[in-house]
Amino acid sequence: KSCQKPVDKYIEYDPVIILINAVLCKAQAYRHILFNTKINIHGKLCIFCLLCEAYIRWLQLQDSSQNTDPDDLIRYAKEWDFYRMFGIASLEQTSFFTGIFITLWWMTPGMLKRKSDFILLLKALLLSTYGKLLLIPAVIWEHDYTPLCLAFIKLFVLISNSQAIRVTLNLNRILPWFAIFFGLILESGVVCLFQKMGWDV
């Protein structure tokens, strides 16, 4: 119904081509993945992406000593810093998604009436964060342009989120970006709260 075509053309395409089209952020590829496939890796993908993000943040912490003694307490403190970064990344992503849901519920109250609509949108948002997996090569091939790479990865993830919202709710291009903008504001508020509490974010 949403694509208004007699058949989904991606049914006869190879999965690699579908993946390439999804990476290119084509709405038809997102529609095929969300509605015509039985992908059930949302939770695992979310955890793995959060681990990648926590690892990047953990590496950027420069205030700990570089002592490599395995019995040293600093080594264990660094491990707890990783868990803390994972928790912060989880809370930030939760606040980002909450901002998106609040905005869409407020702007289009008829769209998210049922629990199944919320679950479908959540699955679409979780799947569309696959761009965070690019953090792994950004760490492996560390160079002077790493902050620029991280900014491009963030932009790619936001574009993917926009396409996921657009395809799931069959919206125009403006409203998903408005929801993402509000989600980013809420996420920034959480970051500011952590910084006021004296945490390294």
Side-chain angles (χ1 to χ4, degrees), residues 1-200:
K1 291 180 182 178
S2 55
C3 70
Q4 296 169 356
K5 300 221 170 142
V7 70
D8 179 9
K9 69 177 184 177
Y10 284 100
I11 287 174
E12 48 188 38
Y13 280 27
D14 191 76
V16 176
I17 295 173
I18 297 169
L19 182 63
I20 290 170
N21 284 331
V23 168
L24 293 173
C25 292
K26 292 195 173 183
Q28 289 177 330
Y30 274 84
R31 199 173 284 118
H32 172 76
I33 291 168
L34 291 172
F35 293 112
N36 294 333
T37 59
K38 294 182 179 179
I39 293 179
N40 202 11
I41 59 166
H42 311 90
K44 293 175 186 175
L45 182 65
C46 175
I47 296 294
F48 194 69
C49 289
L50 287 173
L51 285 171
C52 292
E53 194 168 343
Y55 183 70
I56 290 286
R57 294 175 183 211
W58 184 60
L59 281 181
Q60 292 174 345
L61 285 177
Q62 298 296 327
D63 57 354
S64 296
S65 172
Q66 299 297 321
N67 194 343
T68 57
D69 182 8
D71 295 328
D72 192 14
L73 289 175
I74 293 176
R75 182 182 174 101
Y76 298 108
K78 285 184 177 181
E79 185 179 337
W80 282 109
D81 279 339
F82 175 77
Y83 298 136
R84 184 169 55 89
M85 289 297 129
F86 180 80
I88 290 171
S90 302
L91 286 173
E92 284 180 9
Q93 184 167 349
T94 302
S95 61
F96 175 66
F97 287 169
T98 302
I100 289 174
F101 280 118
I102 289 171
T103 306
L104 291 173
W105 181 76
W106 178 61
M107 296 291 287
T108 58
M111 292 277 185
L112 299 170
K113 293 188 236 178
R114 296 168 299 180
K115 183 181 176 183
S116 60
D117 297 331
F118 279 100
I119 291 172
L120 180 64
L121 182 57
L122 179 62
K123 285 181 177 180
L125 286 170
L126 290 175
L127 276 178
S128 65
T129 58
Y130 69 92
K132 289 184 181 179
L133 298 177
L134 295 172
L135 293 170
I136 298 171
V139 171
I140 293 171
W141 301 322
E142 186 177 348
H143 48 72
D144 296 338
Y145 303 109
T146 299
L148 184 62
C149 289
L150 297 179
F152 276 125
I153 290 170
K154 178 76 172 174
L155 179 64
F156 177 74
V157 170
L158 293 178
I159 291 170
S160 298
N161 291 152
S162 169
Q163 283 292 70
I165 296 168
R166 187 173 156 232
V167 165
T168 305
L169 300 178
N170 201 18
L171 299 171
N172 60 13
R173 294 178 190 268
I174 298 170
L175 190 56
W177 279 110
F178 185 73
I180 286 171
F181 178 71
F182 189 76
L184 287 173
I185 289 174
L186 196 59
E187 181 182 353
S188 300
V190 170
V191 170
C192 290
L193 180 65
F194 287 142
Q195 287 172 345
K196 284 185 179 178
M197 292 167 62
W199 288 12
D200 292 323

